[in-house]
């Protein structure tokens, strides 16, 4: 059986899309014929100190010699080239979202991450990404040969259709970590012009950036929207299920998404959607299943929200289209099978889906 060490920084239990993806892959790879060992690295990535890099080297050096390394991009893209060369093992990189494209970092930091990520990806025998858009970005901007990239889109668990709030108040839901890239400030600014409508918004997401959280709370208070918007933080899966079940409208204001897993959840549950077209979000939500606006465009987002809030019939039509689309989304078993095929191809225990690594000129 193919053996893989899945190397992931930080706390695997954190309620983010990337960690949810990793948890599902760890759970399901054995069913697809791959023995998987979860290997935890320090949680300081993507900004590790020298001590954390040395700890990472020691952890990986202790692994069985026959393990393929599957390394989460949150760590891999920030690893120095000389560290990766010390691993002396076959490497598959998993890129959820290029680190250099994260919003809220300085141009200098973005450039440094672009260089480190490009160098790291060049040392991987294969790269798994979560969307066709990310594959295109890595091939075009990071120099990864397209033949070395495999798309394994996130799966979507099959859940019952949302019932809605069944009240006169339109219950909106947004889900995602509170970081600059999610564009919550744009959403609050858009909603500031819609006080005349009868709505509430719940934002569920990990407070990964306290400065961003504090700024968002201040913006909500200064906009007079305290009674409309609640930041409820990270919630366990059971509570998140309840939030989806009782929502009337799903909203995503993200500036960029590598895929947008929560959009898949909203589709599968048959929720009408208002979303930006940032990154792969436009591809994740089919036309007719949601109202789409350019990322960062406050007037366009305000109009789409106003249209959805004002027209129950529009919400119903969007919901029907969303539910139909949601039934055709891949399952997590599909995701695991794709990743297993890559790993088995590298190990010689399955179909050869991966071309041999280039040895240079």
């Amino acid at each position: 059986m193919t053996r893989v060490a899945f190397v992931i920084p930080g706390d695997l239990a954190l309620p983010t899309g990337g960690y949810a993806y990793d948890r599902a892959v760890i759970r399901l790879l054995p069913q697809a014929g791959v023995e998987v060992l979860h290997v935890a690295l320090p949680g300081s990535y993507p900004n590790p100190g020298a001590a954390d890099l040395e700890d990472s080297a020691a952890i990986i050096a202790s692994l069985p010699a026959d393990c393929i390394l599957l390394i989460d991009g949150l760590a891999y893209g920030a690893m120095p080239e000389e560290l990766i060369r010390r691993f002396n093992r076959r490497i598959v990189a998993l890129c959820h979202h290029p680190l250099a494209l994260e919003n809220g970092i300085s141009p200098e930091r973005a450039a440094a991450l672009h260089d480190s990520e490009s160098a790291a990806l060049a040392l991987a025998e294969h790269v798994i990404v979560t969307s066709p858009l990310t594959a295109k970005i890595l091939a075009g901007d990071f120099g990864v040969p397209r033949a070395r990239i495999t798309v394994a889109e996130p799966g979507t668990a099959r859940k019952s259709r949302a019932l809605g709030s069944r009240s006169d108040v339109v219950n909106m839901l947004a889900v995602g970590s509170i970081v600059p890239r999610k564009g919550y400030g744009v959403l609050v600014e858009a909603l500031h012009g819609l006080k005349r409508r009868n709505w509430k918004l719940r934002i569920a997401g990990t407070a990964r950036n306290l400065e961003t959280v504090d700024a968002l709370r201040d913006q909500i208070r200064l906009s007079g929207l305290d009674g409309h918007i609640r930041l409820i933080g990270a919630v366990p899966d059971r509570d998140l299920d309840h939030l989806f079940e009782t929502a009337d409208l799903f909203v995503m204001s993200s500036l960029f998404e590598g895929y947008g897993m929560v959009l898949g959840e909203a589709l599968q549950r048959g929720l009408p959607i208002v979303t930006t077209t940032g990154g792969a979000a436009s591809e994740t939500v089919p036309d007719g299943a949601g109202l789409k606006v350019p990322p960062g465009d406050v007037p366009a987002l305000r109009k789409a929200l106003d249209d959805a809030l004002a027209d129950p019939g529009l919400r119903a039509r969007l919901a029907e289209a969303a539910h139909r689309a949601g039934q055709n989304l891949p399952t997590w078993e599909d995701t695991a099978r794709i990743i297993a095929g890559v790993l088995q191809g590298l190990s010689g225990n399955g179909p050869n889906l991966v071309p041999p690594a280039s040895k240079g000129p």
Side-chain angles (χ1 to χ4, degrees):
M1 177 181 284
T2 300
R3 302 179 72 191
V4 60
F6 196 173
V7 182
I8 305 166
D11 182 0
L12 185 61
L14 285 174
T16 69
Y19 284 119
Y21 186 106
D22 293 353
R23 289 193 298 270
V25 170
I26 289 171
R27 176 170 53 87
L28 293 169
L29 275 181
Q31 297 179 22
V34 174
E35 180 184 344
V36 58
L37 170 67
H38 168 222
V39 178
L41 293 187
S44 57
Y45 286 95
N47 302 298
D52 288 334
L53 291 174
E54 283 305 313
D55 286 346
S56 299
I59 290 168
I60 290 176
S62 70
L63 297 174
D66 63 341
C67 277
I68 296 172
L69 299 181
L70 174 61
I71 307 180
D72 188 282
L74 183 62
Y76 190 67
M79 288 178 171
E81 182 178 354
E82 58 271 20
L83 176 67
I84 297 171
R85 291 188 183 279
R86 288 166 57 187
F87 296 161
N88 197 29
R89 285 176 170 82
R90 310 188 82 173
I91 296 172
V92 175
L94 169 60
C95 182
H96 301 279
H97 173 73
L99 299 176
L101 299 184
E102 188 65 53
N103 292 88
I105 60 176
S106 69
E108 294 77 16
R109 180 58 178 155
L113 284 171
H114 184 278
D115 290 345
S116 70
E117 207 156 9
S118 298
L121 291 170
L123 296 176
E125 289 200 43
H126 207 74
V127 181
I128 295 169
V129 298
T130 58
S131 73
L133 176 65
T134 303
K136 182 178 179 181
I137 291 172
L138 293 190
D141 297 342
F142 290 81
V144 183
R146 187 61 184 86
R148 297 181 188 279
I149 303 173
T150 293
V151 178
E153 291 186 346
T156 303
R158 297 310 190 241
K159 300 287 182 72
S160 59
R161 188 164 181 174
L163 300 174
S165 64
R166 299 183 175 181
S167 73
D168 294 334
V169 179
V170 178
N171 193 4
M172 293 191 288
L173 174 65
V175 178
S177 298
I178 301 179
V179 294
R181 179 167 55 87
K182 296 299 183 180
Y184 289 127
V186 177
L187 177 57
V188 173
E189 188 175 351
L191 288 170
H192 179 59
L194 299 177
K195 291 181 181 179
R196 70 188 185 281
R197 298 292 183 198
N198 198 9
W199 58 269
K200 290 187 180 298
L201 169 67
R202 292 174 292 182
I203 299 176
T206 305
R208 287 172 52 190
N209 185 314
L210 294 181
E211 184 178 338
T212 302
V213 174
D214 289 341
L216 185 60
R217 290 189 188 281
D218 288 343
Q219 184 185 5
I220 292 170
R221 177 178 53 81
L222 293 172
S223 298
L225 295 175
D226 307 67
H228 290 269
I229 301 175
R230 285 182 57 207
L231 305 183
I232 59 178
V235 297
D237 288 345
R238 182 179 61 185
D239 293 342
L240 188 59
D241 283 343
H242 180 71
L243 289 174
F244 272 104
E245 288 167 5
T246 57
D248 301 304
L249 179 65
F250 190 84
V251 183
M252 174 175 277
S253 53
S254 186
L255 304 177
F256 187 94
E257 287 293 323
Y259 178 81
M261 287 171 52
V262 292
L263 290 172
E265 292 187 53
L267 289 168
Q268 205 280 320
R269 292 174 180 275
L271 282 174
I273 296 169
V274 173
T275 183
T276 69
T277 56
S282 180
E283 300 172 355
T284 303
V285 178
D287 293 342
L291 304 180
K292 305 179 190 181
V293 302
D297 190 331
V298 172
L301 181 57
R302 180 179 294 141
K303 183 181 185 307
L305 289 167
D306 195 21
D307 289 345
L309 291 169
D311 189 346
L314 172 61
R315 295 199 302 273
R317 292 191 297 274
L318 294 174
E320 285 298 326
H323 190 251
R324 287 195 300 272
Q327 307 319 298
N328 296 320
L329 291 172
T331 65
W332 284 114
E333 287 78 8
D334 296 329
T335 306
R337 277 194 294 269
I338 292 170
I339 295 174
V342 170
L343 297 169
Q344 290 164 342
L346 278 174
S347 69
N349 292 330
N352 186 14
L353 303 180
V354 183
S358 171
K359 302 301 180 183

